[in-house]
Amino acid sequence: DTEVTQTPKHLVMGMTNKKSLKCEQHMGHRAMYWYKQKAKKPPELMFVYSYEKLSINESVPSRFSPECPNSSLLNLHLHALQPEDSALYLCASTRTGHDSGNTIYFGEGSWLTVV
Amino acid sequence: AQTVTQSQPEMSVQEAETVTLSCTYDTSESNYYLFWYKQPPSRQMILVIRQEAYKQQNATENRFSVNFQKAAKSFSLKISDSQLGDTAMYFCAFMSHTGRRALTFGSGTRLQVQP
Protein backbone atom coordinates (compact mmCIF):
# COMPACT_ATOMS: atom_id res chain seq x y z
CA ASP A 1 0.00 0.00 0.00
CA THR A 2 1.59 3.23 -1.17
CA GLU A 3 -1.31 5.53 -0.48
CA VAL A 4 -1.36 9.07 0.80
CA THR A 5 -4.92 10.29 1.33
CA GLN A 6 -5.83 13.96 1.24
CA THR A 7 -9.11 15.58 2.19
CA PRO A 8 -10.98 17.50 0.99
CA LYS A 9 -10.28 17.16 -2.71
CA HIS A 10 -11.78 20.59 -3.37
CA LEU A 11 -12.21 23.53 -1.02
CA VAL A 12 -13.61 26.99 -1.63
CA MET A 13 -13.13 29.48 1.18
CA GLY A 14 -13.54 33.16 1.80
CA MET A 15 -10.68 35.36 2.88
CA THR A 16 -12.00 35.53 6.44
CA ASN A 17 -12.63 31.79 6.82
CA LYS A 18 -10.66 29.25 8.79
CA LYS A 19 -10.32 25.83 7.21
CA SER A 20 -7.97 22.86 7.28
CA LEU A 21 -6.49 20.44 4.81
CA LYS A 22 -5.83 16.92 6.02
CA CYS A 23 -3.36 14.27 4.97
CA GLU A 24 -3.06 10.68 6.15
CA GLN A 25 -0.71 7.80 5.43
CA HIS A 26 -0.41 4.35 6.96
CA MET A 27 2.88 3.29 5.44
CA GLY A 28 4.90 3.92 8.59
CA HIS A 29 6.56 6.92 6.99
CA ARG A 30 8.09 9.35 9.48
CA ALA A 31 8.67 12.27 7.09
CA MET A 32 5.73 14.21 5.70
CA TYR A 33 5.57 17.20 3.39
CA TRP A 34 3.31 19.98 2.17
CA TYR A 35 3.87 21.33 -1.32
CA LYS A 36 1.99 24.12 -3.12
CA GLN A 37 1.53 23.94 -6.88
CA LYS A 38 0.24 26.69 -9.12
CA ALA A 39 -1.01 25.96 -12.63
CA LYS A 40 1.70 24.95 -15.12
CA LYS A 41 4.39 25.23 -12.43
CA PRO A 42 6.36 22.65 -10.45
CA PRO A 43 5.46 21.96 -6.82
CA GLU A 44 7.04 24.32 -4.31
CA LEU A 45 8.03 23.01 -0.90
CA MET A 46 6.23 24.59 2.05
CA PHE A 47 6.90 22.44 5.13
CA VAL A 48 8.64 19.22 6.12
CA TYR A 49 7.95 17.23 9.27
CA SER A 50 10.36 14.58 10.44
CA TYR A 51 9.35 12.37 13.37
CA GLU A 52 6.41 14.70 14.02
CA LYS A 53 8.67 17.73 14.36
CA LEU A 54 8.85 20.62 11.94
CA SER A 55 12.23 20.40 10.23
CA ILE A 56 11.82 22.75 7.25
CA ASN A 57 9.67 25.86 6.87
CA GLU A 58 10.28 27.54 3.55
CA SER A 59 9.44 31.00 4.88
CA VAL A 60 5.75 30.35 4.43
CA PRO A 61 3.38 33.15 5.58
CA SER A 62 1.84 32.58 8.99
CA ARG A 63 -1.65 32.35 7.49
CA PHE A 64 -0.58 28.76 6.73
CA SER A 65 -0.11 26.76 9.92
CA PRO A 66 1.02 23.14 9.75
CA GLU A 67 0.37 20.54 12.41
CA CYS A 68 1.50 16.93 12.79
CA PRO A 69 -0.62 15.37 15.56
CA ASN A 70 0.90 11.91 15.11
CA SER A 71 3.06 9.93 12.73
CA SER A 72 0.18 9.21 10.34
CA LEU A 73 -1.48 12.61 10.11
CA LEU A 74 -0.52 15.98 8.76
CA ASN A 75 -2.77 19.01 8.75
CA LEU A 76 -2.50 22.42 7.13
CA HIS A 77 -4.58 25.06 8.89
CA LEU A 78 -5.65 27.98 6.73
CA HIS A 79 -6.69 31.42 7.97
CA ALA A 80 -7.10 34.80 6.32
CA LEU A 81 -5.88 33.57 2.97
CA GLN A 82 -5.54 35.69 -0.14
CA PRO A 83 -6.84 34.91 -3.64
CA GLU A 84 -3.26 34.33 -4.78
CA ASP A 85 -3.11 31.39 -2.36
CA SER A 86 -5.48 29.49 -4.65
CA ALA A 87 -3.55 26.42 -5.79
CA LEU A 88 -3.22 22.66 -5.60
CA TYR A 89 -1.83 21.61 -2.23
CA LEU A 90 0.04 18.33 -2.31
CA CYS A 91 0.89 16.18 0.67
CA ALA A 92 3.68 13.64 0.47
CA SER A 93 5.50 11.19 2.69
CA THR A 94 8.59 9.01 2.78
CA ARG A 95 10.49 6.71 5.06
CA THR A 96 13.42 8.18 6.92
CA GLY A 97 16.95 6.92 7.27
CA HIS A 98 19.74 7.02 4.74
CA ASP A 99 19.15 3.47 3.54
CA SER A 100 15.40 3.84 3.37
CA GLY A 101 15.03 4.17 -0.37
CA ASN A 102 13.84 7.74 -0.16
CA THR A 103 10.99 7.46 -2.61
CA ILE A 104 8.49 10.21 -1.87
CA TYR A 105 4.84 9.32 -2.38
CA PHE A 106 2.26 11.97 -3.13
CA GLY A 107 -1.44 12.26 -2.45
CA GLU A 108 -3.92 13.37 -5.08
CA GLY A 109 -3.90 16.90 -3.77
CA SER A 110 -6.45 19.37 -2.45
CA TRP A 111 -7.64 22.06 -4.83
CA LEU A 112 -8.02 25.30 -2.91
CA THR A 113 -9.88 28.33 -4.22
CA VAL A 114 -9.89 31.52 -2.17
CA VAL A 115 -12.67 33.95 -3.02
CA ALA B 1 21.67 25.02 -3.34
CA GLN B 2 20.69 22.48 -5.91
CA THR B 3 19.02 23.43 -9.16
CA VAL B 4 17.25 21.28 -11.72
CA THR B 5 16.78 22.39 -15.31
CA GLN B 6 14.41 20.98 -17.91
CA SER B 7 15.00 22.79 -21.18
CA GLN B 8 12.07 21.34 -23.13
CA PRO B 9 8.77 22.97 -22.06
CA GLU B 10 6.73 20.86 -24.48
CA MET B 11 7.27 17.76 -26.57
CA SER B 12 5.13 15.67 -28.85
CA VAL B 13 5.55 12.06 -29.97
CA GLN B 14 3.56 9.64 -32.07
CA GLU B 15 2.07 6.62 -30.42
CA ALA B 16 4.47 3.64 -30.36
CA GLU B 17 7.52 5.82 -30.97
CA THR B 18 10.36 6.67 -28.60
CA VAL B 19 10.93 10.03 -26.95
CA THR B 20 13.66 11.38 -24.67
CA LEU B 21 13.14 14.10 -22.08
CA SER B 22 16.17 16.05 -20.91
CA CYS B 23 17.17 17.08 -17.41
CA THR B 24 20.33 18.63 -16.03
CA TYR B 25 21.09 19.50 -12.44
CA ASP B 26 23.68 21.28 -10.41
CA THR B 27 24.98 20.12 -7.05
CA SER B 28 28.20 19.96 -5.10
CA GLU B 29 27.19 16.73 -3.41
CA SER B 30 28.50 13.34 -4.46
CA ASN B 31 25.64 11.20 -3.24
CA TYR B 32 22.02 11.98 -4.03
CA TYR B 33 18.84 10.70 -5.65
CA LEU B 34 17.23 11.65 -8.93
CA PHE B 35 13.62 11.05 -9.89
CA TRP B 36 11.23 11.41 -12.75
CA TYR B 37 7.63 12.06 -11.75
CA LYS B 38 4.63 12.08 -14.05
CA GLN B 39 1.63 14.34 -13.44
CA PRO B 40 -1.35 13.57 -15.69
CA PRO B 41 -4.35 15.90 -15.96
CA SER B 42 -5.73 14.32 -12.79
CA ARG B 43 -2.81 16.13 -11.09
CA GLN B 44 -1.60 13.23 -8.93
CA MET B 45 2.19 13.09 -8.89
CA ILE B 46 3.25 9.57 -9.84
CA LEU B 47 6.78 8.23 -9.53
CA VAL B 48 8.07 6.97 -12.88
CA ILE B 49 11.65 6.04 -12.06
CA ARG B 50 14.43 6.77 -9.58
CA GLN B 51 18.21 6.66 -9.72
CA GLU B 52 20.73 6.58 -6.90
CA ALA B 53 23.82 8.58 -7.77
CA TYR B 54 26.26 6.01 -6.39
CA LYS B 55 24.90 3.38 -8.79
CA GLN B 56 26.50 3.54 -12.21
CA GLN B 57 23.90 1.31 -13.82
CA ASN B 58 21.04 3.20 -15.40
CA ALA B 59 17.62 2.51 -13.89
CA THR B 60 14.87 0.94 -15.98
CA GLU B 61 11.17 0.39 -15.33
CA ASN B 62 9.41 -1.42 -18.17
CA ARG B 63 9.16 1.11 -21.05
CA PHE B 64 10.96 3.81 -19.06
CA SER B 65 14.72 4.11 -18.76
CA VAL B 66 17.20 6.79 -17.83
CA ASN B 67 20.56 7.88 -19.12
CA PHE B 68 22.42 9.03 -16.03
CA GLN B 69 25.66 10.86 -16.72
CA LYS B 70 27.03 11.84 -13.32
CA ALA B 71 30.04 13.80 -14.53
CA ALA B 72 27.89 15.80 -16.92
CA LYS B 73 25.12 16.11 -14.30
CA SER B 74 22.59 14.90 -16.82
CA PHE B 75 19.58 12.65 -16.20
CA SER B 76 17.41 12.06 -19.25
CA LEU B 77 14.28 9.93 -19.45
CA LYS B 78 13.57 7.68 -22.42
CA ILE B 79 10.04 6.46 -23.03
CA SER B 80 9.80 3.58 -25.47
CA ASP B 81 6.67 2.46 -27.29
CA SER B 82 4.83 5.62 -26.22
CA GLN B 83 1.20 5.19 -25.25
CA LEU B 84 -1.66 7.67 -25.10
CA GLY B 85 -1.67 7.27 -21.33
CA ASP B 86 1.84 8.67 -21.19
CA THR B 87 0.43 12.12 -21.99
CA ALA B 88 1.30 14.18 -18.92
CA MET B 89 3.63 16.73 -17.39
CA TYR B 90 6.96 15.15 -16.49
CA PHE B 91 9.08 16.58 -13.69
CA CYS B 92 12.71 15.79 -13.01
CA ALA B 93 13.60 16.05 -9.32
CA PHE B 94 16.66 15.96 -7.07
CA MET B 95 17.02 14.97 -3.45
CA SER B 96 20.10 15.02 -1.27
CA HIS B 97 21.22 11.80 0.40
CA THR B 98 22.45 13.41 3.60
CA GLY B 99 21.39 17.02 3.54
CA ARG B 100 18.03 18.58 2.78
CA ARG B 101 15.56 15.72 2.54
CA ALA B 102 13.06 17.25 0.16
CA LEU B 103 12.57 17.19 -3.58
CA THR B 104 13.77 20.04 -5.76
CA PHE B 105 11.84 19.99 -9.03
CA GLY B 106 12.64 21.15 -12.52
CA SER B 107 10.14 23.30 -14.39
CA GLY B 108 8.59 20.32 -16.17
CA THR B 109 8.11 19.06 -19.71
CA ARG B 110 4.62 18.67 -21.09
CA LEU B 111 4.49 15.52 -23.23
CA GLN B 112 1.69 14.94 -25.71
CA VAL B 113 1.37 11.50 -27.26
CA GLN B 114 -0.42 11.70 -30.59
CA PRO B 115 -2.54 8.82 -31.93
Side-chain angles (χ1 to χ4, degrees), chain B residues 24-82:
Chain B
T24 59
Y25 58 95
D26 189 26
T27 182
S28 59
E29 300 182 22
S30 60
N31 201 6
Y32 46 86
Y33 301 90
L34 295 165
F35 304 85
W36 279 98
Y37 280 88
K38 165 186 176 181
Q39 190 175 39
S42 66
R43 302 307 298 271
Q44 179 158 22
M45 197 74 73
I46 301 166
L47 177 69
V48 174
I49 200 166
R50 52 170 271 150
Q51 175 80 42
E52 295 157 356
Y54 64 87
K55 292 186 177 179
Q56 294 188 348
Q57 186 173 6
N58 289 325
T60 62
E61 285 288 342
N62 301 314
R63 298 183 295 107
F64 300 89
S65 62
V66 298
N67 183 3
F68 173 49
Q69 301 290 327
K70 191 172 184 180
K73 296 180 182 175
S74 172
F75 183 61
S76 61
L77 174 69
K78 185 172 81 171
I79 305 174
S80 303
D81 186 25
S82 297

Side-chain angles (χ1 to χ4, degrees), chain A residues 4 18 20 22-24 26 33 36-37 46-47 49 54-55 63 77 94-95 101 105:
Chain A
V4 177
K18 287 185 180 181
S20 297
K22 297 184 185 299
C23 176
E24 188 169 6
H26 295 288
Y33 306 77
K36 173 183 177 180
Q37 187 178 24
M46 300 176 72
F47 303 103
Y49 272 82
L54 185 64
S55 60
R63 58 185 184 268
H77 302 298
T94 188
R95 289 184 291 167
Y105 297 95

Side-chain angles (χ1 to χ4, degrees), chain A residues 33 35 37 40-43 45 56 58 88 97-98 101-104 106-108 111, chain B residues 33 35 37 39 43-45 47 50 91 95 97-98 100-103 105-107 110:
Chain A
Y33 306 77
Y35 281 85
Q37 187 178 24
K40 299 183 180 181
K41 296 289 187 181
L45 182 67
I56 298 176
E58 291 288 274
L88 179 68
H98 296 307
N102 291 286
T103 295
I104 294 183
F106 286 83
E108 294 183 356
W111 284 97
Chain B
Y33 301 90
F35 304 85
Y37 280 88
Q39 190 175 39
R43 302 307 298 271
Q44 179 158 22
M45 197 74 73
L47 177 69
R50 52 170 271 150
F91 291 101
M95 186 165 74
H97 178 70
T98 56
R100 176 185 164 100
R101 303 303 292 281
L103 292 168
F105 287 94
S107 56
R110 183 171 301 281

